[in-house]
């Protein structure tokens, strides 16, 4: 709890505390105007329980690992948030109720970055502000009507670009006809079975699925 002395010069700044002295060089130019990067309006506003959205993201993130990475897909529409993820381990889907005002939004996020922000929100309810699928999401308190610098918290999380091609392939596969295959053997290797069912493409892929499962 000692007093810290600070001296600012034209190019350097010095901190002195007891017997310690720290000198640092100042950055040239003007500091980034971060406030201008934060959208002041939103096409979609969502009010949701903080604990519920955290739990939903954690459930859909169970099939995402350090070795098998993927984004989470969030759809804000019809008074609900649908959250899903798809990896080599399978597909996870969840849905929670929310108060949604504005346009429908389908957007992807890195699950860890979104959870990092949500877990330090200190209110029971939060407000999510969105401006489409490629703009960042803004997280503020539910009762927020204050200026940027007066808020108790404000988080901005950038989205990830979703793989729309995979989405179309997934929809196409669901329409395909199911076939029954007879296996004339009492035993079959699990990796061979996965390849036979077209669940994986290679033996290496099958090994990862088996180990992670």
């Amino acid at each position: 709890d000692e007093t810290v002395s600070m001296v600012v010069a034209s190019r350097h700044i010095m901190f002195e505390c007891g017997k310690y002295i720290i000198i640092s060089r100042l950055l040239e130019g003007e500091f980034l105007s971060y406030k201008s990067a934060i959208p002041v309006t939103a096409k979609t506003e969502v009010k949701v329980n903080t604990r519920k959205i955290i739990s939903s993201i954690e459930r859909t993130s169970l099939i995402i690992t350090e070795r098998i990475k993927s984004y989470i897909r969030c759809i804000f529409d019809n008074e609900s948030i649908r959250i899903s993820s798809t990896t080599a381990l399978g597909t996870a889907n969840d849905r929670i109720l929310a108060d949604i005002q504005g346009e429908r939004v389908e957007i992807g996020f890195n699950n860890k970055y979104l959870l990092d922000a949500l877990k330090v929100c200190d209110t029971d309810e939060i407000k999510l502000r969105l401006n489409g699928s490629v703009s960042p999401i803004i997280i503020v308190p539910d009762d927020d009507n204050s200026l940027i610098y007066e808020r108790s918290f404000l988080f901005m999380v950038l989205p990830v670009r979703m793989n729309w091609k995979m989405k179309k392939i997934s929809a196409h596969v669901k329409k395909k006809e199911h076939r029954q295959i007879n296996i004339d053997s009492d035993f079959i290797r699990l990796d061979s079975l996965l390849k036979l069912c077209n669940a994986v493409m290679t033996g290496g892929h099958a090994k990862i699925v088996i180990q992670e499962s």
Side-chain angles (χ1 to χ4, degrees):
D1 297 329
E2 295 184 23
T3 301
V4 177
S5 300
M6 182 176 65
V7 179
V8 181
S10 59
R11 294 188 177 182
H12 295 82
I13 185 170
M14 181 180 74
F15 299 93
E16 184 176 359
C17 181
K19 60 180 180 180
Y20 297 100
I21 297 177
I22 299 175
I23 301 175
S24 177
R25 184 169 182 173
L26 299 176
L27 295 176
E28 296 181 1
E30 295 183 2
F31 186 74
L32 174 67
S33 178
Y34 67 91
K35 293 179 184 178
S36 62
I38 301 175
V40 295
T41 60
K43 296 179 181 178
T44 307
E45 287 198 352
V46 181
K47 293 182 180 180
V48 65
N49 181 274
T50 309
R51 186 65 255 170
K52 287 183 178 179
I53 190 170
I54 290 175
S55 299
S56 180
I57 294 173
E58 288 178 337
R59 285 192 292 271
T60 52
S61 299
L62 290 175
I63 60 174
I64 302 175
T65 68
E66 289 297 325
R67 295 179 60 188
I68 305 178
K69 299 182 183 295
S70 180
Y71 57 83
I72 58 170
R73 184 189 303 272
C74 303
I75 301 176
F76 301 86
D77 192 28
N78 294 328
E79 299 300 311
S80 70
I81 306 173
R82 286 178 286 159
I83 304 174
S84 62
S85 64
T86 301
T87 71
L89 300 179
T91 301
N93 295 278
D94 200 39
R95 177 180 175 271
I96 57 173
L97 297 178
D99 180 10
I100 301 177
Q101 302 292 330
E103 300 177 0
R104 178 186 185 277
V105 178
E106 185 169 354
I107 190 170
F109 292 103
N110 180 300
N111 63 315
K112 289 187 176 181
Y113 295 160
L114 192 55
L115 283 173
D116 285 345
L118 293 171
K119 286 183 177 180
V120 292
C121 295
D122 56 3
T123 57
D124 293 334
E125 303 276 332
I126 55 174
K127 183 185 294 182
L128 310 177
R129 294 177 174 172
L130 301 112
N131 285 286
S133 61
V134 295
S135 297
I137 185 173
I138 304 298
I139 306 172
V140 294
D142 174 34
D143 58 353
D144 175 70
N145 290 307
S146 59
L147 298 175
I148 291 174
Y149 51 84
E150 294 176 342
R151 292 173 173 138
S152 58
F153 63 82
L154 185 151
F155 300 104
M156 182 170 69
V157 183
L158 297 177
V160 299
R161 189 172 296 277
M162 295 187 292
N163 192 334
W164 296 103
K165 183 178 179 181
M166 289 301 297
K167 181 181 177 183
K168 293 178 181 178
I169 292 175
S170 176
H172 174 69
V173 169
K174 289 180 181 179
K175 296 179 181 178
K176 293 187 70 175
E177 183 179 331
H178 289 200
R179 295 185 298 115
Q180 181 175 347
I181 302 175
N182 295 320
I183 302 174
D184 297 324
S185 173
D186 293 332
F187 301 97
I188 184 170
R189 288 172 56 91
L190 183 54
D191 57 346
S192 300
L193 181 61
L194 289 171
K195 286 190 286 185
L196 182 64
C197 297
N198 292 324
V200 297
M201 297 300 295
T202 64
H205 189 184
K207 184 177 179 181
I208 293 176
V209 173
I210 294 168
Q211 288 177 343
E212 294 293 340
S213 298

